[in-house]
Amino acid sequence: MSDSTEHIPGAENPEQFTGLSLGPVQKSAAGLPAIAETIKQVVGEAGISRGWKALAHLNKKDGYDCPGCAWPDPDDERSALGEYCENGAKAIAEEATLKKLTPEFFAQNSVSELAALSDYEIGRKGRIAQPMFLPAGGTHYEPISWDEAFRKIATALNKLNTPDEAIFYTSGRTSNEAAFLYQLFVRAYGTNNLPDCSNMCHESSGVALGESLGIGKGSVKLEDFYEAEVIIILGQNPGTNHPRMLTALQKAKANGARIIAVNPLPETGLMRFNNPQQLKGLLGVATPLTDIFLPVTINGDMTLLKAIEYLLWQYEEQEPGRVFDRSFIEQNTEGYEAFINDLQAQKLEHLSQVCGISVPQLQEVAGLLKYKTKIIACWAMGLTQHTNAVDTIKEIVNLLLLKGSIGKAGAGTCPVRGHSNVQGDRTMGIYEKPGQPLLDAIARNFQFKPPQHHGYDVVEAIKAMFGGKASVFIAMGGNFLSATPDTNYTAAALRKCALTVHVSTKLNRSHLVHGREALILPTLGRSDKDLLNGEEQFVSCENSMGVIQLSKGVLAPVSDQLLSEPVIVCRLAKATLGERSTIDWDKYLQHYDLIRNDIERTIPGFSDYNKRVRQPGGFYLPNCNREGSFNTASKKAHFNIAPITTIQLAGDELLMMTIRSHDQFNTTIYGLNDRYRGIYNERRVILMNQQDMEQRNLEAGDVVDIYNHTDGVERVAHKFLVVPYPIPVRCTATYFPETNVLVPVNNVAKKSNTPVSKAVVITVKRSL
Ligand code: SF4
């Protein structure tokens, strides 16, 4: 591994403090403060009338889909008061802002001046109002016409030796229609280099569920929460990352469900909820959520699950058929005997020691699960971004299979997607490892032979650019530099490109760390009205539960120079492929129904697409697990046996997990506060266990540098303030993207190749 982690100017946030103040960890989530923050953000950015209009249509059946997370909307009545959360409103404030970046702005602000700002400051600048170009050696972005922009990209793409020298990245905000056209264009161009943000988030879930259950998606519907007996939440912070999930948990509790939360951090949103749509919530009368909180050590989740299974096995031995669902196991699974043989060889004390949870607490959990069968398991990045992530998620499946908790009401798997259409993009074919059925359908429907060899995922794409094997990078949304690991390595890789292109709504750091030439193509946001030939168009998205629903923007775009994602793809494809294309791109520029017609005949599950997507609330895609079947080779669900792994820490080493603050969505920073955790006005903080601080003679507010030495390369994140926090011993937490510079590009999850951002081995030294 070369020493390419030299500090790249502008690739990281400035090492400046903004004035930390600490308060108590909040006891309950949402409530009046959520309403206050919503009004402040929305009115502050969009004004009262535009802001009100934006919120009034958010997540409504005839409105538009929130560009935040992928938590589902109720199938039945949507709340008249507002079907959104504080963070959904923040996401909309970002889009609906009236601030726009004109050519004058870019003439007055050089790339390096902008790169010297923090992500928060850059993001607050406003919506990009027209296409911008940065020539080779240029210091300032210049305006460019759309036609000229497409010509430049086409020239660069057609100049490459092979199409595999180009990378086509997708962020989870891209609609189904745009994603389908994008993969079609990229494959017609000749490559499967279609990395997406899923590679960095739930790829481990897709691999684990696909291998063990035959479908890479969760099986539950929202209504299953209301029938569940037990809901287990692992490695997820719903209060910040999927806030409307708290409403579902509140309802589940009211129906008698018990909640078990597994997380190194006692996240406020797991504990208590002040529902701002209820008087009692507004008056501060919180609903307790979690019944049993398990402060597991970082990467202790799989061992914890094995310990629970071990205790359940002991109970099953005492009462055969009362604890395990024997008939389900016999009819639907394979590998049970071998799994039990491995389980009974475990030592409970050792399992307890490794996961950091006491035997009495483990027994309390197993006691709660003993006779229960309606069990839902929810998880997020706290599980998927580990070396053994795939095995850990398969361990969740093992527990659910023992209990027969798949394929029935009130039970099942629930990987909660963090980006509104990340699941939809994958369904549309955005995947570097496309299945043969998709490639055959494309060949059949579009009269060309798509590339058959696999492309690059995110980590492979970074290495290909760094190694000079790829030199054109095109991103459909997102903030690639800030979302990816090993920031300085990734920055060096992007800078080696001949051309970097970003389809974006707002300015972000990826625009400022660029190839020899760079382009920014401004697109419509979800909340923007999308007129095609004078007719309003809608797009569609797929949420975490596999519901496809329409999304129709309502706001006047801030500029008449914006193009929709589908139009951008069609015009780029025409410019690049020209006469050699067998696809009628002009057809799609007449009406989006014509895109959906081609999705219907290419992607399974979309019959009568245009009719069903217009049904209020949309429609569910087929899901074999939900129907109690398993689309594996054997048509059986698989028990998995995985070794207990422990991360050996030497000397004064610690483990670091990167997290979001409450004022953040992925790499978008809405503010500098993290009010649930009692951290205000500062992002350069490291949450540490008091004992670890004392052992290092550190006190609250001390300034430290954080080091990682994986692969013999020294990575350092300078100047972080120590914050004492209730986190297990030798575990720490910091915000990304500030500490992505410490996440080694080579440190990835087995099988899914997802960067290991939740278990980075670090040392901290007092900053000089
Ligand atoms: S829960 Fe997620 S999808 Fe729903 S409004 Fe909030 S951010 Fe948007």
Side-chain angles (χ1 to χ4, degrees), residues 298 385-386 649 653-659 685-687 706-708 717 720 727 730-736 738-744 756-764:
I298 286 180
Q385 297 175 334
H386 287 272
L649 295 176
E653 288 181 333
L654 299 163
L655 275 180
M656 179 193 86
M657 60 181 187
T658 63
I659 58 175
V685 295
I686 177 168
L687 281 53
I706 311 172
Y707 293 84
N708 167 271
F720 284 76
I727 189 169
R730 302 195 84 169
C731 298
T732 66
T734 58
Y735 301 133
F736 77 88
E738 283 82 354
T739 51
N740 279 353
V741 66
L742 298 168
V743 180
V756 172
S757 304
K758 293 292 188 274
V760 181
V761 176
I762 61 163
T763 54
V764 295

Side-chain angles (χ1 to χ4, degrees), residues 58-59 65-73 83-89 91 238 240-245 417-418 420 665 670:
L58 179 53
N59 289 334
D65 185 49
C66 173
C69 81
W71 186 256
D73 310 301
E83 192 54 60
Y84 53 85
C85 73
E86 171 192 341
N87 281 4
T240 289
N241 303 333
H242 314 94
R244 281 187 303 155
M245 181 174 167
R417 306 282 172 163
S420 56
F665 172 75
Y670 301 130

Side-chain angles (χ1 to χ4, degrees), residues 309-341:
E309 291 157 358
Y310 177 85
L311 287 163
L312 290 172
W313 165 70
Q314 288 188 323
Y315 297 151
E316 172 67 9
E317 290 289 287
Q318 294 153 12
E319 303 177 79
R322 294 259 354 260
V323 180
F324 289 172
D325 185 335
R326 292 296 182 133
S327 60
F328 177 91
I329 291 169
E330 275 136 31
Q331 286 156 31
N332 298 295
T333 74
E334 58 188 15
Y336 174 75
E337 296 308 330
F339 169 74
I340 291 297
N341 290 343

Side-chain angles (χ1 to χ4, degrees), residues 202-276:
H202 270 291
E203 196 70 61
S204 303
S205 305
V207 172
L209 296 177
E211 291 184 357
S212 49
L213 299 175
I215 182 173
K217 302 177 179 183
S219 69
V220 300
K221 292 181 176 182
L222 184 54
E223 63 203 39
D224 286 312
F225 279 76
Y226 313 146
E227 293 196 46
E229 294 172 301
V230 180
I231 298 168
I232 310 174
I233 306 170
L234 308 105
Q236 186 197 359
N237 177 16
T240 289
N241 303 333
H242 314 94
R244 281 187 303 155
M245 181 174 167
L246 304 193
T247 306
L249 295 176
Q250 182 189 36
K251 247 173 148 175
K253 290 283 297 199
N255 295 350
R258 307 291 301 281
I259 296 176
I260 300 167
V262 180
N263 199 308
L265 294 173
E267 303 288 21
T268 302
L270 290 170
M271 306 308 172
R272 300 155 59 84
F273 173 44
N274 285 341
N275 187 334

